[in-house]
CSV table of all heavy atoms in Angstrom, one decimal:
chain,number,residue,atom,x,y,z
A,1,VAL,N,-8.1,8.0,6.1
A,1,VAL,CA,-7.4,7.4,7.3
A,1,VAL,C,-7.2,5.9,7.2
A,1,VAL,O,-6.1,5.3,7.4
A,1,VAL,CB,-8.2,7.7,8.6
A,1,VAL,CG1,-7.6,7.0,9.7
A,1,VAL,CG2,-8.2,9.2,8.8
A,2,LEU,N,-8.2,5.2,6.8
A,2,LEU,CA,-8.0,3.7,6.6
A,2,LEU,C,-7.1,3.5,5.5
A,2,LEU,O,-6.3,2.5,5.6
A,2,LEU,CB,-9.4,3.1,6.2
A,2,LEU,CG,-10.3,2.9,7.4
A,2,LEU,CD1,-11.6,2.2,6.9
A,2,LEU,CD2,-9.5,2.0,8.4
A,3,PHE,N,-7.1,4.2,4.3
A,3,PHE,CA,-6.1,4.0,3.3
A,3,PHE,C,-4.7,4.3,3.8
A,3,PHE,O,-3.7,3.6,3.4
A,3,PHE,CB,-6.5,4.8,2.1
A,3,PHE,CG,-5.6,4.6,0.9
A,3,PHE,CD1,-5.7,3.4,0.1
A,3,PHE,CD2,-4.6,5.6,0.5
A,3,PHE,CE1,-5.0,3.2,-1.1
A,3,PHE,CE2,-3.7,5.3,-0.5
A,3,PHE,CZ,-3.9,4.1,-1.3
A,4,GLY,N,-4.6,5.5,4.5
A,4,GLY,CA,-3.2,5.7,5.0
A,4,GLY,C,-2.7,4.7,6.0
A,4,GLY,O,-1.5,4.4,5.8
A,5,THR,N,-3.5,4.2,6.8
A,5,THR,CA,-3.1,3.1,7.7
A,5,THR,C,-2.7,1.9,7.0
A,5,THR,O,-1.7,1.1,7.3
A,5,THR,CB,-4.1,2.8,8.7
A,5,THR,OG1,-5.3,2.5,8.2
A,5,THR,CG2,-4.3,4.0,9.8
A,6,TRP,N,-3.5,1.6,5.9
A,6,TRP,CA,-3.1,0.4,5.1
A,6,TRP,C,-1.7,0.5,4.4
A,6,TRP,O,-1.0,-0.5,4.4
A,6,TRP,CB,-4.2,0.2,3.9
A,6,TRP,CG,-3.8,-0.7,2.8
A,6,TRP,CD1,-3.2,-0.5,1.7
A,6,TRP,CD2,-3.9,-2.2,2.9
A,6,TRP,NE1,-2.9,-1.6,0.9
A,6,TRP,CE2,-3.4,-2.7,1.7
A,6,TRP,CE3,-4.4,-3.1,3.8
A,6,TRP,CZ2,-3.2,-4.0,1.4
A,6,TRP,CZ3,-4.4,-4.5,3.5
A,6,TRP,CH2,-3.8,-4.8,2.3
A,7,VAL,N,-1.5,1.6,3.9
A,7,VAL,CA,-0.1,1.9,3.2
A,7,VAL,C,0.9,1.9,4.2
A,7,VAL,O,1.9,1.2,4.0
A,7,VAL,CB,-0.2,3.3,2.4
A,7,VAL,CG1,1.2,3.6,1.9
A,7,VAL,CG2,-1.2,3.2,1.3
A,8,ILE,N,0.8,2.6,5.3
A,8,ILE,CA,1.9,2.6,6.4
A,8,ILE,C,2.0,1.2,6.9
A,8,ILE,O,3.1,0.7,7.2
A,8,ILE,CB,1.5,3.6,7.4
A,8,ILE,CG1,1.5,5.1,6.8
A,8,ILE,CG2,2.6,3.5,8.5
A,8,ILE,CD1,1.1,6.1,7.8
A,9,GLY,N,0.9,0.5,7.2
A,9,GLY,CA,1.0,-0.8,7.9
A,9,GLY,C,1.6,-1.8,6.9
A,9,GLY,O,2.4,-2.7,7.4
A,10,ASN,N,1.2,-1.9,5.7
A,10,ASN,CA,1.8,-2.7,4.7
A,10,ASN,C,3.3,-2.4,4.5
A,10,ASN,O,4.0,-3.5,4.4
A,10,ASN,CB,1.0,-2.7,3.3
A,10,ASN,CG,1.5,-3.6,2.5
A,10,ASN,OD1,2.3,-3.4,1.5
A,10,ASN,ND2,1.1,-5.0,2.6
A,11,TRP,N,3.7,-1.3,4.4
A,11,TRP,CA,5.0,-0.9,4.3
A,11,TRP,C,5.8,-1.4,5.4
A,11,TRP,O,7.0,-1.9,5.4
A,11,TRP,CB,5.3,0.6,4.0
A,11,TRP,CG,6.7,1.0,4.0
A,11,TRP,CD1,7.6,0.9,3.0
A,11,TRP,CD2,7.4,1.7,5.0
A,11,TRP,NE1,8.8,1.4,3.3
A,11,TRP,CE2,8.7,1.9,4.5
A,11,TRP,CE3,7.1,2.1,6.3
A,11,TRP,CZ2,9.6,2.4,5.3
A,11,TRP,CZ3,8.1,2.5,7.1
A,11,TRP,CH2,9.4,2.8,6.6
A,12,SER,N,5.3,-1.1,6.7
A,12,SER,CA,6.1,-1.5,8.0
A,12,SER,C,6.2,-3.0,8.0
A,12,SER,O,7.3,-3.5,8.2
A,12,SER,CB,5.2,-1.1,9.1
A,12,SER,OG,5.1,0.5,9.2
A,13,VAL,N,5.2,-3.7,7.7
A,13,VAL,CA,5.1,-5.2,7.8
A,13,VAL,C,6.1,-5.8,6.7
A,13,VAL,O,6.9,-6.6,7.0
A,13,VAL,CB,3.8,-5.9,7.6
A,13,VAL,CG1,3.7,-7.2,7.4
A,13,VAL,CG2,2.9,-5.5,9.0
A,14,CYS,N,5.9,-5.3,5.5
A,14,CYS,CA,6.7,-6.0,4.5
A,14,CYS,C,8.1,-5.5,4.4
A,14,CYS,O,9.0,-6.2,3.7
A,14,CYS,CB,6.0,-5.6,3.1
A,14,CYS,SG,4.4,-6.3,2.9
A,15,THR,N,8.5,-4.4,5.2
A,15,THR,CA,9.9,-4.1,5.3
A,15,THR,C,10.6,-5.3,6.1
A,15,THR,O,11.7,-5.7,5.8
A,15,THR,CB,10.1,-2.8,6.0
A,15,THR,OG1,9.5,-1.8,5.2
A,15,THR,CG2,11.5,-2.4,6.2
A,16,LEU,N,9.8,-5.8,7.1
A,16,LEU,CA,10.4,-6.9,7.9
A,16,LEU,C,10.4,-8.2,7.2
A,16,LEU,O,11.1,-9.0,7.4
A,16,LEU,CB,9.5,-7.0,9.2
A,16,LEU,CG,9.5,-5.7,10.1
A,16,LEU,CD1,8.6,-6.0,11.4
A,16,LEU,CD2,10.9,-5.4,10.6
A,17,LEU,N,9.5,-8.3,6.2
A,17,LEU,CA,9.3,-9.6,5.4
A,17,LEU,C,10.1,-9.4,4.0
A,17,LEU,O,9.8,-10.2,3.1
A,17,LEU,CB,7.9,-9.7,5.1
A,17,LEU,CG,7.0,-10.1,6.4
A,17,LEU,CD1,5.5,-10.3,5.9
A,17,LEU,CD2,7.5,-11.3,7.1
A,18,ASP,N,11.1,-8.5,4.0
A,18,ASP,CA,11.9,-8.4,2.8
A,18,ASP,C,11.1,-8.1,1.5
A,18,ASP,O,11.4,-8.6,0.5
A,18,ASP,CB,12.8,-9.6,2.5
A,18,ASP,CG,13.7,-10.0,3.7
A,18,ASP,OD1,14.2,-8.9,4.4
A,18,ASP,OD2,13.8,-11.2,4.0
A,19,GLY,N,10.1,-7.2,1.7
A,19,GLY,CA,9.3,-6.9,0.5
A,19,GLY,C,10.2,-5.8,-0.3
A,19,GLY,O,10.9,-5.0,0.2
A,20,GLU,N,9.9,-5.8,-1.6
A,20,GLU,CA,10.6,-4.9,-2.5
A,20,GLU,C,9.8,-3.5,-2.8
A,20,GLU,O,10.4,-2.6,-3.2
A,20,GLU,CB,10.9,-5.6,-3.9
A,20,GLU,CG,11.7,-6.8,-3.7
A,20,GLU,CD,11.9,-7.5,-5.1
A,20,GLU,OE1,11.7,-6.8,-6.1
A,20,GLU,OE2,12.6,-8.5,-5.1
A,21,GLY,N,8.6,-3.5,-2.4
A,21,GLY,CA,7.9,-2.3,-2.6
A,21,GLY,C,8.1,-1.0,-1.7
A,21,GLY,O,8.4,-1.3,-0.5
A,22,THR,N,8.2,0.1,-2.3
A,22,THR,CA,8.3,1.3,-1.6
A,22,THR,C,7.0,1.8,-1.1
A,22,THR,O,6.0,1.3,-1.6
A,22,THR,CB,9.0,2.4,-2.4
A,22,THR,OG1,8.2,2.7,-3.4
A,22,THR,CG2,10.4,1.8,-2.9
A,23,MET,N,6.9,2.7,-0.2
A,23,MET,CA,5.7,3.3,0.3
A,23,MET,C,4.8,4.0,-0.9
A,23,MET,O,3.7,4.0,-1.0
A,23,MET,CB,5.9,4.3,1.5
A,23,MET,CG,4.7,4.8,2.1
A,23,MET,SD,4.8,5.9,3.5
A,23,MET,CE,5.5,4.7,4.7
A,24,LYS,N,5.6,4.6,-1.7
A,24,LYS,CA,5.0,5.3,-2.9
A,24,LYS,C,4.3,4.2,-3.8
A,24,LYS,O,3.2,4.4,-4.2
A,24,LYS,CB,6.1,6.1,-3.8
A,24,LYS,CG,5.5,6.6,-5.0
A,24,LYS,CD,6.7,7.3,-5.9
A,24,LYS,CE,6.1,7.8,-7.2
A,24,LYS,NZ,7.2,8.5,-8.0
A,25,ASN,N,5.0,3.2,-4.1
A,25,ASN,CA,4.5,2.0,-5.0
A,25,ASN,C,3.3,1.4,-4.3
A,25,ASN,O,2.3,1.1,-4.9
A,25,ASN,CB,5.5,1.2,-5.3
A,25,ASN,CG,6.6,1.6,-6.4
A,25,ASN,OD1,6.2,2.6,-7.1
A,25,ASN,ND2,7.8,1.0,-6.4
A,26,ILE,N,3.4,1.2,-2.9
A,26,ILE,CA,2.3,0.5,-2.3
A,26,ILE,C,0.9,1.4,-2.4
A,26,ILE,O,0.0,1.0,-2.6
A,26,ILE,CB,2.7,0.3,-0.9
A,26,ILE,CG1,3.8,-0.8,-0.7
A,26,ILE,CG2,1.4,-0.2,0.0
A,26,ILE,CD1,4.3,-0.9,0.7
A,27,CYS,N,1.2,2.7,-2.2
A,27,CYS,CA,0.2,3.7,-2.4
A,27,CYS,C,-0.5,3.7,-3.8
A,27,CYS,O,-1.7,3.6,-3.9
A,27,CYS,CB,0.7,5.1,-2.0
A,27,CYS,SG,-0.5,6.4,-2.1
A,28,ILE,N,0.3,3.7,-4.7
A,28,ILE,CA,-0.1,3.7,-6.0
A,28,ILE,C,-0.9,2.4,-6.5
A,28,ILE,O,-2.0,2.5,-6.9
A,28,ILE,CB,1.0,4.0,-7.1
A,28,ILE,CG1,1.5,5.3,-6.9
A,28,ILE,CG2,0.5,3.7,-8.5
A,28,ILE,CD1,2.9,5.6,-7.7
A,29,TYR,N,-0.3,1.2,-6.2
A,29,TYR,CA,-0.8,0.0,-6.5
A,29,TYR,C,-2.1,-0.3,-5.8
A,29,TYR,O,-3.2,-0.7,-6.3
A,29,TYR,CB,0.1,-1.1,-6.3
A,29,TYR,CG,1.3,-1.2,-7.3
A,29,TYR,CD1,1.9,0.0,-7.8
A,29,TYR,CD2,1.8,-2.5,-7.6
A,29,TYR,CE1,3.0,-0.1,-8.6
A,29,TYR,CE2,2.8,-2.6,-8.6
A,29,TYR,CZ,3.4,-1.4,-9.0
A,29,TYR,OH,4.5,-1.6,-9.9
A,30,SER,N,-2.2,0.1,-4.5
A,30,SER,CA,-3.4,-0.2,-3.6
A,30,SER,C,-4.5,0.8,-4.1
A,30,SER,O,-5.8,0.4,-4.2
A,30,SER,CB,-3.1,0.1,-2.2
A,30,SER,OG,-2.0,-0.8,-1.8
A,31,SER,N,-4.2,1.9,-4.5
A,31,SER,CA,-5.3,3.0,-4.9
A,31,SER,C,-5.9,2.5,-6.2
A,31,SER,O,-7.1,2.6,-6.4
A,31,SER,CB,-4.7,4.4,-5.1
A,31,SER,OG,-3.8,4.4,-6.1
A,32,TYR,N,-5.1,2.0,-7.2
A,32,TYR,CA,-5.6,1.5,-8.4
A,32,TYR,C,-6.5,0.3,-8.2
A,32,TYR,O,-7.5,0.2,-9.0
A,32,TYR,CB,-4.4,1.1,-9.3
A,32,TYR,CG,-3.6,2.2,-10.0
A,32,TYR,CD1,-3.7,3.6,-9.5
A,32,TYR,CD2,-2.7,2.0,-11.0
A,32,TYR,CE1,-3.0,4.5,-10.1
A,32,TYR,CE2,-2.1,3.1,-11.6
A,32,TYR,CZ,-2.2,4.2,-11.1
A,32,TYR,OH,-1.5,5.4,-11.7
A,33,ALA,N,-6.3,-0.5,-7.2
A,33,ALA,CA,-7.2,-1.7,-7.0
A,33,ALA,C,-8.5,-1.2,-6.5
A,33,ALA,O,-9.4,-2.0,-6.5
A,33,ALA,CB,-6.4,-2.6,-5.8
A,34,LEU,N,-8.6,0.0,-5.8
A,34,LEU,CA,-9.9,0.4,-5.3
A,34,LEU,C,-11.0,0.8,-6.4
A,34,LEU,O,-12.0,1.1,-6.0
A,34,LEU,CB,-9.6,1.6,-4.4
A,34,LEU,CG,-8.8,1.3,-3.1
A,34,LEU,CD1,-8.7,2.7,-2.3
A,34,LEU,CD2,-9.6,0.3,-2.3
A,35,VAL,N,-10.5,1.1,-7.7
A,35,VAL,CA,-11.5,1.6,-8.7
A,35,VAL,C,-12.6,0.8,-8.8
A,35,VAL,O,-13.8,1.3,-8.9
A,35,VAL,CB,-10.6,1.5,-10.1
A,35,VAL,CG1,-11.6,1.9,-11.3
A,35,VAL,CG2,-9.5,2.6,-9.9
A,36,PRO,N,-12.6,-0.6,-8.9
A,36,PRO,CA,-13.9,-1.4,-9.0
A,36,PRO,C,-14.9,-1.1,-7.8
A,36,PRO,O,-16.1,-1.0,-8.0
A,36,PRO,CB,-13.5,-2.8,-9.1
A,36,PRO,CG,-12.1,-2.7,-9.6
A,36,PRO,CD,-11.5,-1.5,-9.0
A,37,TYR,N,-14.3,-1.0,-6.6
A,37,TYR,CA,-15.2,-0.7,-5.4
A,37,TYR,C,-15.8,0.6,-5.6
A,37,TYR,O,-17.0,0.8,-5.2
A,37,TYR,CB,-14.3,-0.8,-4.2
A,37,TYR,CG,-15.1,-0.7,-2.9
A,37,TYR,CD1,-15.8,-1.7,-2.4
A,37,TYR,CD2,-14.9,0.5,-2.1
A,37,TYR,CE1,-16.5,-1.6,-1.2
A,37,TYR,CE2,-15.7,0.6,-0.9
A,37,TYR,CZ,-16.4,-0.4,-0.5
A,37,TYR,OH,-17.1,-0.3,0.6
A,38,ILE,N,-15.0,1.6,-6.0
A,38,ILE,CA,-15.6,3.0,-6.1
A,38,ILE,C,-16.6,3.0,-7.1
A,38,ILE,O,-17.8,3.7,-7.1
A,38,ILE,CB,-14.5,4.0,-6.5
A,38,ILE,CG1,-13.5,4.0,-5.3
A,38,ILE,CG2,-15.0,5.3,-6.8
A,38,ILE,CD1,-12.1,4.8,-5.7
């Protein structure tokens, strides 16, 4: 749930801020960043 809200929230916000990332890329990049924490 938290990861899903992060992806959706970031996509929603960055769409308004002219971000170039798609929801798919945000999901992939964010998940890769979680590896050290895991």
